[in-house]
Amino acid sequence: WVQEEAPDVLCLQETKCGGPAVPPEVRDLPGLPHQFWASAEGRPGYSGVGLLARTEPLSVTYGIGDAEHDPEGRVITAEFPSLFVVSAYVPNAGRGLVRLQPRLRWDGSFLAHLQRLDAQKPVLLCGDLNVAHAEIDLCHPKANRASAGFTPEERAGFPRLLGAGFVDSFRHLYPEARGAFTFWTYLGGARARNVGWRLDYCVVSQRIVGDVCDSKIRSRAEGSDHCPVTIYLAL
């Protein structure tokens, strides 16, 4: 699927492995020679993100400058001539919301990171943001108001992101699209029945929203409980 899409930048989340453990078929993907990997310190098989690029970035940084969250290997930021690309795997609030407070602290620190970048040049944020922003973004909103990813506290972080000068590219282009989900549990044949959530986003700085040609959910691409999302920018 990646070879057919031939992206300029590929962002991966929840890789669950460090750079040395990346499989050869990923290492050898044609057209993506510049590869950067982050993983959780001392926790093999947990979290992790990757960013693969066709052209070499001007610079690459890891984390968001927060000692609480950076050891979990959740963010890679690559600077290109016209924008920053951020690959992010936002923490889950966890079963029983046991990690809700750390998640809320993350939201504040992560937004500050994005704002620091945006002060320099436009930003494209790609990743699993672990929140369904609105009721339209999941199949059963009423039954999930106390579920991780749809609590009022988590959802409140998304309007703050948008209010800080960022745009949800898919919802900007397709404001009324229903059944547009990116995650389905493996249980109960959820994907076949499209009982899902939209947790994965391409978010752009407001000032380049006019450069967004399209933003797509690739629900037919299998191989994970999430599906890929793509964005096309004319930069």
Side-chain angles (χ1 to χ4, degrees):
W1 183 86
V2 172
Q3 292 184 53
E4 289 175 359
E5 285 289 317
D8 292 310
V9 180
L10 174 66
C11 297
L12 302 172
Q13 293 84 39
E14 201 174 4
T15 53
K16 297 188 176 184
C17 66
V22 173
E25 60 266 28
V26 178
R27 282 284 189 195
D28 299 334
L29 277 171
L32 296 169
H34 307 285
Q35 302 191 7
F36 309 91
W37 304 95
S39 59
E41 296 176 10
R43 301 184 68 180
Y46 179 76
S47 187
V49 293
L51 188 148
L52 293 71
R54 186 173 299 276
T55 60
E56 186 173 7
L58 300 176
S59 65
V60 175
T61 58
Y62 299 85
I64 58 176
D66 187 311
E68 178 182 7
H69 300 290
D70 285 354
E72 294 188 348
R74 293 184 176 275
V75 175
I76 297 175
T77 300
E79 181 184 1
F80 294 94
S82 57
L83 81 171
F84 290 101
V85 178
V86 180
S87 177
Y89 176 40
V90 171
N92 190 299
R95 188 179 299 275
L97 304 179
V98 295
R99 284 175 52 87
L100 178 59
Q101 292 308 312
R103 161 60 190 268
L104 298 181
R105 292 194 294 273
W106 158 280
D107 283 350
S109 293
F110 187 46
L111 178 56
H113 173 69
L114 296 175
Q115 290 177 302
R116 287 192 295 269
L117 298 174
D118 191 52
Q120 302 173 58
K121 62 176 64 173
V123 174
L124 166 60
L125 163 63
C126 300
D128 178 356
L129 304 191
N130 256 320
V131 66
H133 174 211
E135 292 193 355
I136 197 175
D137 294 315
L138 73 167
C139 189
H140 296 305
K142 291 182 180 179
N144 285 286
R145 297 196 188 282
S147 298
F150 199 61
T151 63
E153 296 92 339
E154 292 167 288
R155 292 173 64 196
F158 208 90
R160 284 195 292 270
L161 173 65
L162 302 182
F166 298 95
V167 177
D168 173 356
S169 64
F170 177 82
R171 202 50 84 189
H172 172 76
L173 295 173
Y174 305 102
E176 304 300 327
R178 294 187 174 273
F181 305 135
T182 67
F183 165 81
W184 306 262
T185 177
Y186 284 125
L187 302 175
R191 187 161 187 169
R193 297 183 294 119
N194 199 30
V195 179
W197 299 55
R198 188 169 75 100
L199 301 178
D200 304 271
Y201 299 77
C202 295
V203 173
V204 298
S205 295
Q206 174 71 51
R207 63 188 182 279
I208 60 168
V209 71
D211 299 318
V212 177
C213 303
D214 207 350
S215 182
K216 292 289 191 181
I217 294 173
R218 302 299 198 184
S219 57
R220 295 185 180 180
E222 298 183 346
S224 169
D225 52 358
H226 292 252
C227 75
V229 295
T230 58
I231 186 168
Y232 299 90
L233 291 165
L235 295 174

